[in-house]
Amino acid sequence: DAGVTQSPTHLIKTRGQHVTLRCSPISGHKSVSWYQQVLGQGPQFIFQYYEKEERGRGNFPDRFSARQFPNYSSELNVNALLLGDSALYLCASRYNTGELFFGEGSRLTVL
Amino acid sequence: GIQVEQSPPDLILQEGANSTLRCNFSDSVNNLQWFHQNPWGQLINLFYIPSGTKQNGRLSATTVATERYSLLYISSSQTTDSGVYFCAVEQGNSGYALNFGKGTSLLVTP
């Protein structure tokens, strides 16, 4: 079975641009979460979606938004990119409660 | 929010040595996971262990929820064990957010 898949794996943007990151959960998993990991730190929670509804939001500005589709895949959107948005963006899925499984991440560089 | 502290922050071992990594958390939790982050950034699940003890090969983990700590044991370490080990916890009303510690960076030398 495929694990959590994310795309793109690497991307470079310039300040002020917009970015969309995509995530497909493990088959059968209805919950998707997004995390941001800056260099040298642990991942920080951004959003959690379950059955297409936002169930949790971390301490991130409104420039960050997300959505979940009927097939349970998800997109993370970041507007008006700042240099500080450079990070590894991780998507995770879970079946119901319990164990989270992470994808390989999308590494974003903002110049 | 809940605080997660991991120790030690850095660890250097010679191949074959054993080690214990610790995770302290400041409040009751309903989920605790240990991850290994490889050099490419992927978080590999090691244990889902909100309480009790589990073993998987050379690795084992124990969580004492009432005392708010968890331990990860690595025996007979190998160079492939190098990387960053994260402990992450989830509180009941957190919106299912995992709160990560800052990690323990492990280097195993030949």
Side-chain angles (χ1 to χ4, degrees):
Chain A
D1 287 341
V4 178
T5 58
Q6 294 187 241
S7 64
T9 55
H10 295 82
L11 67 166
I12 300 173
K13 294 285 188 178
T14 57
R15 282 177 296 175
Q17 284 190 313
H18 164 270
V19 67
T20 297
L21 307 178
R22 296 177 175 84
C23 172
S24 293
I26 292 171
S27 177
H29 287 195
K30 299 181 179 181
S31 171
V32 169
S33 302
W34 288 93
Y35 289 76
Q36 180 197 64
Q37 186 178 21
V38 299
L39 198 62
Q41 300 292 322
Q44 296 289 317
F45 172 70
I46 310 175
F47 286 110
Q48 194 256 355
Y49 277 79
Y50 180 74
E51 289 279 17
K52 296 171 288 181
E53 290 189 4
E54 182 182 305
R55 294 298 182 92
R57 183 186 181 113
N59 187 24
F60 280 81
D62 291 343
R63 298 185 296 107
F64 288 76
S65 63
R67 55 180 175 167
Q68 186 177 31
F69 299 100
N71 66 353
Y72 304 111
S73 67
S74 178
E75 282 183 356
L76 175 69
N77 295 283
V78 187
N79 294 322
L81 285 167
L82 304 174
L83 295 179
D85 296 330
S86 295
L88 179 66
Y89 289 86
L90 295 160
C91 176
S93 76
R94 73 204 305 176
Y95 172 65
N96 189 5
T97 58
E99 194 170 7
L100 250 66
F101 295 87
F102 282 84
E104 295 185 2
S106 294
R107 193 169 296 277
L108 171 65
T109 301
V110 182
L111 301 177
Chain B
I2 191 168
Q3 303 299 311
V4 182
E5 294 182 358
Q6 291 187 243
S7 59
D10 301 282
L11 186 59
I12 300 175
L13 298 175
Q14 200 156 23
E15 206 166 21
N18 303 327
S19 62
T20 301
L21 281 56
R22 187 176 180 101
C23 173
N24 292 332
F25 42 97
S26 60
D27 206 343
S28 59
V29 299
N30 60 9
N31 179 4
L32 188 147
Q33 290 185 240
W34 282 97
F35 297 93
H36 175 214
Q37 189 164 43
N38 64 24
W40 297 271
Q42 185 166 15
L43 285 168
I44 308 298
N45 290 45
L46 297 178
F47 294 101
Y48 169 67
I49 187 167
S51 63
T53 297
K54 291 186 177 180
Q55 180 157 7
N56 184 3
R58 297 182 295 104
L59 302 181
S60 64
T62 295
T63 297
V64 183
T66 53
E67 297 187 19
R68 299 179 183 169
Y69 73 89
S70 183
L71 303 173
L72 177 69
Y73 305 96
I74 304 174
S75 65
S76 304
S77 58
Q78 301 175 359
T79 56
T80 51
D81 295 331
S82 297
V84 182
Y85 290 80
F86 287 104
C87 167
V89 302
E90 176 187 308
Q91 290 182 284
N93 297 323
S94 68
Y96 301 108
L98 274 182
N99 292 272
F100 283 76
K102 293 185 177 181
T104 292
S105 180
L106 173 64
L107 176 63
V108 181
T109 60

